[in-house]
Amino acid sequence: MDIKQLIYLCNLERERHFGRAAEASFVSQPTLSMRLKNLERELGLSLINRSNNFVGFTPEGDRVLAWAREIVSVYQGLKLEVESLKHGVNGTLRIGVMPQCSVALPELLKKVQNRYPQLNYRIAALSADQLLEALNSHTVDVGIGFFELATLRELHFQTAFLPERGVEAIFDPAQFPELVSDEPLSLAALAALPLCLSEPTRYFRRYLDMAFREAGLTPQVMVESAAILELVQSAQVGLGVLVSPVGHLLPSMLNGMAQRPITITHMARQAALVIAEPGRASPLSQHFFDEARSHLESYVVSPMA
């Protein structure tokens, strides 16, 4: 058994296709298939359900795959540590993000860049379930999202909490002059307006929908999108009112727009930046986490204290 065989196995899990797994492994498909069959022969176990196409892993394959993920993660961490010792902290950090958390991620990345200018970032927008799965399978290094406190404790994530500044309405004051005020906007008044909201599968949208439902209100959704940029542009041209966590958008994106706080119950989950527990986190993610946490802790009180 060697590390390349375990990497091929992990790539096959991610790609769910022999040809794409071979491309991701930079080998031919026959080579990948032969190396995985050699692994099965060496272990004396059938790992992969085979037909003309990839079908899935056997129960034994799932068990071996769990170990393979851990070993490959440690191996990749070792490579990054060696590179950082030779050239400083550098490499690509994989970040999984649940949309509409209460932090402007590019702003945070820019602050980390001041300390580690050679870091690169690959960012994926994920649902709550996808983010937990990606963190547990080491397909992302850092997670930013909404978490139940019990989950954070049970999985032993290192956690940096994001600021809780509330929720606000963002709108074109020329189109909605009656909304211009510093007084909090009630849910009843908000429900009567045309709204620009993220799609219903997103946690922040589900939180809003529950708040409306508990208040016996039905919101008027004018624009619904998975793309935050589309929602911002829709509000900018006056199609409707964008509802967003305070601090999620860069101030420059709100040029000419008005903001007004909304009276709404707190979220059941906590917004946080997380990585694996000490010893399992890669050196790259640990460096990033320590630096990012130093910028967040100055204005966030931990609810786990």
Side-chain angles (χ1 to χ4, degrees), residues 108 139 201 248 272:
L108 181 62
T139 55
T201 59
H248 169 64

Side-chain angles (χ1 to χ4, degrees), residues 97-281:
V97 180
M98 288 173 62
Q100 291 191 294
C101 278
S102 54
V103 65
L105 179 57
E107 192 171 53
L108 181 62
L109 298 185
K110 179 60 179 176
K111 291 178 179 178
V112 174
Q113 185 190 50
N114 292 334
R115 175 72 183 276
Y116 300 120
Q118 298 182 78
L119 271 182
N120 304 314
Y121 304 98
R122 183 183 303 143
I123 302 170
L126 303 173
S127 68
D129 291 340
Q130 288 171 334
L131 181 56
L132 284 176
E133 172 62 26
L135 286 164
N136 287 326
S137 63
H138 303 289
T139 55
V140 299
D141 306 299
V142 177
I144 299 176
F146 301 99
F147 301 90
E148 295 178 351
L149 295 182
T151 299
L152 295 176
R153 295 188 183 100
E154 289 168 7
L155 297 179
H156 306 293
F157 288 138
Q158 297 181 68
T159 303
F161 290 101
L162 304 184
E164 292 271 1
R165 301 169 183 159
V167 178
E168 65 183 356
I170 300 171
F171 55 94
D172 177 6
Q175 293 291 326
F176 300 96
E178 72 281 5
L179 295 182
V180 178
S181 173
D182 293 329
E183 292 296 317
L185 188 67
S186 70
L187 274 182
L190 186 67
L193 299 167
L195 301 179
C196 302
L197 303 180
S198 57
E199 62 180 6
T201 59
R202 300 303 188 187
Y203 175 75
F204 183 73
R205 171 64 186 277
R206 299 203 309 269
Y207 155 70
L208 294 176
D209 286 345
M210 181 176 293
F212 283 123
R213 191 162 51 248
E214 290 177 346
L217 300 168
T218 302
Q220 300 181 44
V221 183
M222 174 64 70
V223 178
E224 186 176 86
S225 176
I228 301 301
L229 180 59
E230 295 296 335
L231 297 177
V232 172
Q233 291 178 332
S234 295
Q236 285 175 330
V237 300
L239 275 174
V241 175
L242 171 62
V243 182
S244 178
V246 176
H248 169 64
L249 300 174
L250 292 170
S252 59
M253 297 178 67
L254 304 179
N255 186 32
M257 306 272 275
Q259 298 160 264
R260 185 170 173 181
I262 297 170
T263 301
I264 190 170
T265 57
H266 289 295
M267 292 185 193
R269 297 185 183 185
Q270 175 66 43
L273 181 152
V274 305
I275 63 170
E277 63 187 319
R280 295 185 64 195

Side-chain angles (χ1 to χ4, degrees), residues 56-125:
F57 294 95
T58 65
E60 296 80 6
D62 285 331
R63 296 286 296 275
V64 171
L65 187 60
W67 282 99
R69 291 194 208 102
E70 293 286 337
I71 295 168
V72 170
S73 176
V74 171
Y75 169 74
Q76 291 174 338
L78 173 62
K79 288 178 64 179
L80 290 171
E81 181 72 6
V82 170
E83 286 300 309
S84 68
L85 290 172
K86 292 191 295 185
H87 309 295
V89 176
N90 70 93
T92 299
L93 195 72
R94 302 165 301 172
I95 304 177
V97 180
M98 288 173 62
Q100 291 191 294
C101 278
S102 54
V103 65
L105 179 57
E107 192 171 53
L108 181 62
L109 298 185
K110 179 60 179 176
K111 291 178 179 178
V112 174
Q113 185 190 50
N114 292 334
R115 175 72 183 276
Y116 300 120
Q118 298 182 78
L119 271 182
N120 304 314
Y121 304 98
R122 183 183 303 143
I123 302 170

Side-chain angles (χ1 to χ4, degrees), residues 40-62:
E40 290 177 310
R41 190 177 302 112
E42 182 178 346
L43 296 176
L45 294 170
S46 176
L47 305 179
I48 302 164
N49 291 318
R50 288 181 173 85
S51 66
N52 291 332
N53 299 305
F54 174 78
V55 177
F57 294 95
T58 65
E60 296 80 6
D62 285 331

